[in-house]
């Protein structure tokens, strides 16, 4: 490690220590000690900024303001509650004293436009999710607690949740459903993408993103591929990633949040074992989103067939490849679900399977479909498609052309990580 990298590492550790002790003093009502620790954290963060050539001035300001308020013997939450009431209505952003993004100048406008591109439309509801009942329950509970403003100090909500599990198991779907159910502004970023596309600018983007999210509260910020910031502790991380990591940590620590702001940060990873430990510690709630069991798989299959207007035709036993799978299966969906679970299919694999089966049914019922294009594309608009039911041969063919995407040995790794770091309610 070079001298500079070493100094940055030490400063980062000092910042972490001061911040954590500030939070602890504050939660235990020791205002003066908390004020001193916030002031230390501000000073260290300013030094860290200088050493790593990054710009977290607004976070330094937040920490300094928190220190001042506590030093006067005031309570941070009370202070913001009071200051939100006067005219203006929207209240301070998570940046508090910092300027809101897009404060009129051109750079700001550009940044604002960029932020808006992170806003995703979502009409997803909980009904679009098959299974994952425990996960849904945990998330709804966390959201409910986080959203209720009027609660004793000792009752704290979780505003940061980490979802981990194999790819294609519904993590993005869950985040969309949370945002949809709260009617919240939904920000979606893929960290890997952000890092490669906005090289050098990424950390500014992260700060602006969180400020905008607070402005447009209630918001859900979904940070996908949070493991892209791996390896920081080994010193093999490049400067951009390091800066982004620092900024993300600082934003997650945002102390000076208006009491009316509700920003739920959901992060997702397919490789939790690569997570930076500082990131891991910022997400006290870590929820395993596993491969579907038979009940969940049955629902997922229904969502992608029956709920879309296409049912099945045939005895359940005709849809399996092993007679064992037909035992206790009272519907074709359940028989197919058992087969999927036996083969380790993810939700996404099942969606692909259903789509292939539906396609096979359509081809079987409309053998002349391609020729119609040659005849007259215009006439196609009024052509009525023959839609039948999915039959065993459609499913057999779909199984032959799709396969599980996850090697079996990887599944155990998620359970091991869950045992060590996952949270239970
Ligand atoms: P992840 O974020 O875990 O990689 P996604 O949420 O993007 O996975 O899921 C990919 C697709 O797979 C979804 O759009 C959906 O069609 C399907 N899918 C995955 N899990 C489920 C589920 N539990 N219920 C319904 N569909 C699912």
């Amino acid at each position: 490690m070079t001298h500079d990298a070493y100094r940055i590492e030490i400063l980062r550790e000092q910042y972490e220590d001061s911040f954590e002790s500030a939070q602890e003093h504050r939660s235990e009502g020791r205002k003066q000690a908390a004020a001193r620790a916030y002031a230390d954290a501000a000073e260290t963060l300013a030094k860290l900024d200088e050493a790593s050539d990054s710009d977290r001035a607004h976070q330094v300001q937040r920490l300094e303001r928190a220190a001042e308020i506590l030093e006067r013997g005031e309570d941070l939450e009370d202070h913001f509650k009071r200051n939100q009431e006067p005219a203006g209505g929207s209240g301070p952003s998570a940046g508090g004293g910092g300027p809101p993004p897009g404060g009129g100048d051109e750079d700001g406008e550009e940044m604002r436009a960029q932020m808006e591109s992170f806003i995703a439309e979502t009409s997803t509801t909980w009904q679009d999710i098959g299974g994952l009942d425990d996960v849904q329950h945990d998330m709804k509970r966390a959201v409910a607690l986080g959203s209720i403003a009027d609660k004793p100090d000792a009752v704290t909500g979780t505003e940061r949740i980490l979802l981990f599990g194999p790819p294609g198991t519904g993590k993005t779907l869950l985040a969309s459903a949370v945002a949809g159910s709260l009617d919240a502004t939904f920000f979606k970023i893929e960290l890997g993408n952000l890092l490669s596309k906005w090289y050098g600018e990424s950390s500014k983007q992260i700060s602006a993103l969180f400020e905008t999210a607070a402005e447009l509260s209630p918001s859900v910020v979904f940070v996908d591929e949070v493991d892209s910031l791996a390896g920081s502790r080994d010193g093999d991380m490049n400067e951009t990633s390091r800066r982004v990591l620092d900024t993300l940590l600082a934003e997650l620590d945002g102390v000076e949040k208006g009491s009316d702001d509700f920003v739920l940060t959901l992060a997702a990873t397919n490789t939790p074992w690569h997570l930076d430990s500082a990131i891991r510690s910022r997400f006290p709630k870590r929820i395993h989103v596993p491969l579907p069991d038979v009940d969940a798989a049955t629902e997922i299959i229904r969502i992608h067939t029956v709920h879309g207007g296409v049912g099945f035709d045939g005895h359940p036993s005709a849809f399996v490849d092993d007679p064992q799978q037909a035992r206790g299966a009272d519907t074709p969906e359940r028989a197919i679900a058992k087969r999927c679970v036996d083969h380790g299919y993810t939700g996404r694999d099942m969606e692909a399977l259903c789509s292939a089966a539906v396609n096979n049914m359509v081809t079987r019922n409309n053998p002349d479909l391609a020729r119609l294009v040659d005849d007259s594309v215009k006439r196609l608009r009024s052509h009525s498609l023959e839609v039948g039911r999915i039959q065993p041969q459609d499913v057999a063919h779909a199984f032959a052309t799709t396969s599980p995407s996850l090697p079996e040995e990887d599944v155990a790794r998620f359970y091991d990580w869950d045992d060590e770091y996952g949270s239970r309610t």
Side-chain angles (χ1 to χ4, degrees):
M1 215 187 254
T2 63
H3 174 72
D4 279 355
Y6 187 64
R7 180 171 144 74
I8 289 171
E9 199 58 42
I10 302 225
L11 285 169
R12 184 184 290 115
E13 274 168 22
Q14 273 176 8
Y15 165 72
E16 298 263 314
D17 288 349
S18 308
F19 188 83
E20 265 166 37
S21 86
Q23 298 285 71
E24 203 177 308
H25 287 313
R26 184 178 146 205
S27 69
E28 285 167 19
R30 294 188 292 269
K31 289 186 186 139
Q32 294 308 320
R36 279 194 300 278
Y38 277 131
D40 283 349
E43 203 181 317
T44 318
L45 194 62
K47 284 186 196 154
L48 187 59
D49 251 11
E50 210 179 296
S52 58
D53 194 23
S54 47
D55 180 14
R56 272 156 308 201
H58 75 276
Q59 176 66 6
V60 173
Q61 277 172 19
R62 281 186 212 180
L63 292 163
E64 285 170 352
R65 273 191 69 189
E68 277 165 32
I69 294 161
L70 288 160
E71 204 180 348
R72 289 200 298 269
E74 281 184 55
D75 211 71
L76 275 190
E77 286 78 13
D78 289 351
H79 177 88
F80 291 113
K81 233 181 247 169
R82 267 202 317 278
N83 289 345
Q84 268 190 333
E85 276 155 16
S90 66
S93 69
D105 58 50
E106 259 172 46
D107 276 0
E109 288 303 324
E110 203 181 307
M111 193 59 101
R112 158 75 66 158
Q114 178 54 34
M115 282 310 108
E116 280 171 4
S117 76
F118 290 132
I119 297 180
E121 288 294 322
T122 173
S123 54
T124 308
T125 68
W126 298 106
Q127 278 75 45
D128 297 318
I129 302 175
L132 299 174
D133 296 344
D134 293 348
V135 179
Q136 289 191 39
H137 176 263
D138 272 11
M139 290 184 72
K140 287 179 190 169
R141 201 175 160 278
V143 167
L145 268 182
S147 310
I148 296 169
D150 187 18
K151 54 182 182 276
D153 286 350
V155 180
T156 51
T158 312
E159 291 180 8
R160 280 165 282 164
I161 301 175
L162 175 77
L163 300 171
F164 66 94
T169 45
K171 297 182 287 299
T172 308
L173 214 54
L174 283 160
S176 314
V178 173
S181 70
L182 282 171
D183 206 9
T185 322
F186 184 37
F187 293 83
K188 191 170 168 227
I189 52 164
E190 275 167 22
L191 218 43
N193 219 344
L194 183 88
L195 283 166
S196 58
K197 199 161 151 203
W198 294 94
Y199 195 82
E201 285 286 298
S202 321
S203 76
K204 268 194 200 154
Q205 301 254 346
I206 300 264
S207 295
L209 176 78
F210 277 88
E211 283 191 34
T212 313
E215 258 195 11
L216 302 180
S217 158
S219 302
V220 172
V221 177
F222 179 55
V223 185
D224 204 1
E225 301 176 9
V226 68
D227 48 87
S228 310
L229 294 171
S232 62
R233 305 286 144 185
D234 315 334
D236 62 357
M237 189 183 240
N238 70 38
E239 256 321 297
T240 303
S241 305
R242 199 174 272 277
R243 232 179 290 156
V244 168
L245 175 64
D246 286 343
T247 309
L248 186 61
L249 294 177
E251 290 301 336
L252 292 172
D253 290 343
V255 281
E256 204 183 298
K257 217 150 60 75
S259 57
D260 283 352
D261 292 341
F262 179 68
V263 179
L264 176 72
T265 308
L266 299 172
T269 175
N270 302 333
T271 52
W273 40 87
H274 284 151
L275 269 190
D276 185 275
S277 57
I279 294 261
R280 193 182 64 224
S281 71
R282 295 309 193 282
F283 289 88
K285 192 137 198 70
R286 305 176 201 126
I287 302 182
H288 185 193
V289 184
L291 285 185
D293 59 15
V294 175
D295 286 340
T298 308
E299 267 189 69
I300 295 174
I301 289 164
R302 283 199 183 123
I303 287 171
H304 294 289
T305 53
V306 181
H307 294 187
V310 181
F312 292 89
D313 185 21
H315 193 273
S317 61
F319 289 87
V320 299
D321 60 353
D322 172 351
Q324 288 291 335
Q325 291 158 347
R327 290 178 83 193
D330 49 356
T331 59
E333 299 95 287
R334 198 158 178 90
I336 300 168
K338 285 187 157 193
R339 190 168 168 180
C340 286
V341 170
D342 278 1
H343 292 289
Y345 272 51
T346 65
R348 184 183 284 136
D349 297 334
M350 278 181 231
E351 185 199 7
L353 176 89
C354 292
S355 159
V358 170
N359 249 320
N360 295 339
M361 175 277 290
V362 169
T363 309
R364 191 166 46 71
N365 285 297
N366 302 268
D368 290 339
L369 211 53
R371 196 179 46 75
L372 292 175
V373 176
D374 291 336
D375 285 356
S376 161
V377 176
K378 255 194 201 154
R379 249 190 287 143
L380 275 176
R381 284 224 157 269
S382 53
H383 182 84
S384 66
L385 198 69
E386 284 297 320
V387 179
R389 295 209 193 184
I390 301 169
Q391 294 191 349
Q393 71 261 35
D394 302 323
V395 174
H397 193 220
F399 267 110
T401 52
T402 56
S403 50
S405 51
L406 192 74
E408 210 173 306
E409 54 279 13
D410 283 7
V411 178
R413 225 173 153 187
F414 289 99
Y415 282 93
D416 291 346
W417 200 85
D418 191 22
D419 281 345
E420 196 165 349
Y421 299 109
S423 39
R424 307 268 172 283
T425 39

